Amino acid sequence: MDNRADSSLWADTPFALLKIPGQPGGPVCVNPSVLNVAIEMANVHNVLLRPLNAIYHQAPFISLPVDVADFMLYVTAWADTLHHHHSLEESLFFPMVEKIAKEAGIDDCEGIMGGNVDQHHEFEPKIAELVKWAEEVVAGKKTYDAVELKRQIDDFAPILTQHLHDEIGTLVRLENCDGEKIKQAMKETADEGAKTADPQVIMHDNFAPPTGLLELPGEIRNRIYDFAQEPDQVRLVYKPSRHHEQVKQTSRQFFGLTQVCRKLRLEHLPIYNVQTIVSIDCLHTASYVDTFILPAGVEPKQARGNLIIQDRTPAYHVESVEEQISTQAIADLIALSKKNPQVMFKFDDSAWFYPLLCTLMLRLR
């Protein structure tokens, strides 16, 4: 399966997502607790921007009446979520923040969040117009028109996007405040949000049951597989006897996805093999390749792998290099890698591997 959508079709545009504070390109804050709050708020704001981008992208492709009804529900649910978020900010979070800023002696602490509130009032009436239009479309009073929907979004989205970005800058200005108090204010606001959110906002007569992974479009599954990556290098260890050094094997938390069923294995295993750097002992090169990279029934052009080959066998267990490593297995792996760039491998820093590798490369020429 190789039907990935172009990245420009994803919900990162046209309204720019926020750079996460503390990460490259994002705002900088020296107060860890305030930074934590700024990160959380930036993530929330991106959660608000992605659905708006999705609405903007999908609008031209909606035509069936049932899809129009569902799409209008999505629009109104997004607007309701945004309004709920900003209402909590104005009634709880901003007043608490201004009080904390005053205690810290921050310049212009009175109304420090006022500019953000002014921005709320600038775009909220236009979003209310969008909600009214969506409800009239569902009621049959208006005809769904993607051009009109995008026009209304264009009318408020620039100031909304600017606001969502600006608010993070305001929070970063609080770095000289008591960070724990800022975190507590954020927590109290979030707790109140959980209590007052409308759990019925997404309910609908045509509400579909949960969709299984294999029922999702291929490009969505590929996107999910991209996120199912091991956080670190995977180290596989063979333990033939208790006389060998017992090294803890790395947990492979996402490998289990390849074991669910045959179809998931066929789809995810090649992606997993490319994304995951696996460290193996040189003695087990052949068995690993035969099991995971080029098992029976897999063509060489379909093989995938990313290996680091190490020498972890104690010297007293072998008498020679030839006994310690299968030169044919390494030669076969080099040949496979030359034919298929999706099979990648390298040796670790054990010095004696390099002349051996050079010798093998010369044999293959």
Side-chain angles (χ1 to χ4, degrees):
M1 181 179 62
D2 191 19
N3 52 346
R4 298 168 186 262
D6 184 81
S7 60
S8 64
L9 297 179
W10 294 96
D12 301 349
T13 59
F15 308 112
L17 301 182
L18 283 72
K19 298 287 186 181
I20 303 302
Q23 295 187 7
V28 178
C29 180
V30 298
N31 187 320
S33 295
V34 174
L35 176 62
N36 181 276
V37 170
I39 290 172
E40 184 175 351
M41 188 67 79
N43 283 322
V44 170
H45 286 185
N46 280 341
V47 167
L48 296 171
L49 281 170
R50 286 185 184 276
L52 181 61
N53 284 331
I55 292 168
Y56 201 87
H57 280 307
Q58 297 299 326
F61 306 105
I62 305 299
S63 58
L64 297 177
V66 65
D67 292 338
V68 169
D70 289 342
F71 196 48
M72 294 301 95
L73 174 64
Y74 187 76
V75 169
T76 54
W78 170 82
D80 181 83
T81 302
L82 183 72
H83 177 71
H84 186 245
H85 171 75
H86 288 144
S87 296
L88 287 169
E89 285 185 333
E90 292 185 22
S91 62
L92 287 177
F93 186 61
F94 288 175
M96 287 189 285
V97 164
E98 291 185 354
K99 180 180 178 181
I100 296 168
K102 185 176 181 180
E103 293 173 354
I106 302 296
D107 293 338
D108 302 323
C109 60
E110 294 290 344
I112 191 172
M113 308 303 292
N116 298 282
V117 175
D118 291 341
Q119 288 175 326
H120 288 182
H121 297 164
E122 187 171 350
F123 57 72
E124 281 182 344
K126 297 177 181 179
I127 295 177
E129 292 177 7
L130 173 64
V131 171
K132 181 181 178 182
W133 176 82
E135 291 174 344
E136 289 178 341
V137 169
V138 173
K141 297 178 181 179
K142 294 282 180 70
T143 301
Y144 174 74
D145 182 355
V147 174
E148 172 61 17
L149 174 57
K150 295 179 72 172
R151 183 200 66 76
Q152 292 200 40
I153 292 175
D154 286 332
D155 203 27
F156 66 77
I159 183 60
L160 170 63
T161 304
Q162 186 65 48
H163 160 72
L164 295 175
H165 284 254
D166 289 349
E167 189 173 292
I168 305 305
T170 305
L171 291 177
V172 170
R173 286 181 56 198
L174 303 173
E175 61 184 358
N176 292 326
C177 294
D178 186 327
E180 290 305 310
K181 289 184 177 180
I182 298 291
K183 284 182 68 175
Q184 182 60 30
M186 185 71 161
K187 181 181 183 304
E188 290 180 17
T189 305
D191 290 345
E192 182 63 21
K195 294 177 184 177
T196 56
D198 183 1
Q200 302 300 318
V201 72
I202 62 167
M203 296 306 294
H204 190 273
D205 290 341
N206 295 321
F207 188 70
T211 301
L213 176 60
L214 292 177
E215 296 173 324
L216 295 173
E219 63 271 18
I220 301 296
R221 295 203 300 276
N222 273 332
R223 191 74 163 178
I224 293 172
Y225 297 149
D226 284 340
F227 284 104
Q229 298 185 32
E230 305 293 355
D232 300 300
Q233 179 187 126
V234 170
R235 188 178 186 184
L236 299 185
V237 179
Y238 179 61
K239 304 175 183 178
S241 77
R242 62 183 179 180
H243 300 295
H244 283 215
E245 179 186 4
Q246 299 296 296
V247 184
K248 185 177 181 181
Q249 177 171 316
T250 307
S251 172
R252 295 183 291 171
Q253 58 179 327
F254 291 113
F255 182 74
L257 188 58
T258 70
Q259 308 300 300
V260 174
C261 66
R262 183 183 298 273
K263 184 170 183 179
L264 274 179
R265 181 177 179 83
L266 291 174
E267 285 188 353
H268 184 227
L269 188 58
I271 299 173
Y272 180 88
N273 283 343
V274 171
Q275 291 175 339
T276 307
I277 300 175
V278 178
S279 171
I280 63 171
D281 192 284
C282 58
L283 283 172
H284 312 127
T285 302
S287 61
Y288 182 87
V289 171
D290 291 344
T291 303
F292 295 104
I293 296 180
L294 197 61
V298 174
E299 297 292 331
K301 64 181 180 181
Q302 298 173 319
R304 301 289 187 272
N306 197 342
L307 294 178
I308 295 179
I309 301 175
Q310 298 183 337
D311 174 28
R312 293 196 295 267
T313 305
Y316 56 79
H317 284 290
V318 295
E319 297 179 356
S320 66
V321 168
E322 289 75 12
E323 186 178 334
Q324 186 168 356
I325 184 170
S326 169
T327 55
Q328 186 59 50
I330 296 297
D332 291 344
L333 182 58
I334 293 174
L336 178 61
S337 179
K338 291 177 69 175
K339 293 178 181 178
N340 185 347
Q342 294 295 326
V343 177
M344 299 165 282
F345 76 97
K346 64 180 180 180
F347 294 100
D348 72 350
D349 295 332
S350 299
W352 66 269
F353 274 109
Y354 293 102
L356 174 61
L357 177 60
C358 293
T359 301
L360 291 171
M361 293 294 287
L362 288 173
R363 291 181 184 177
L364 292 173
R365 290 180 180 175

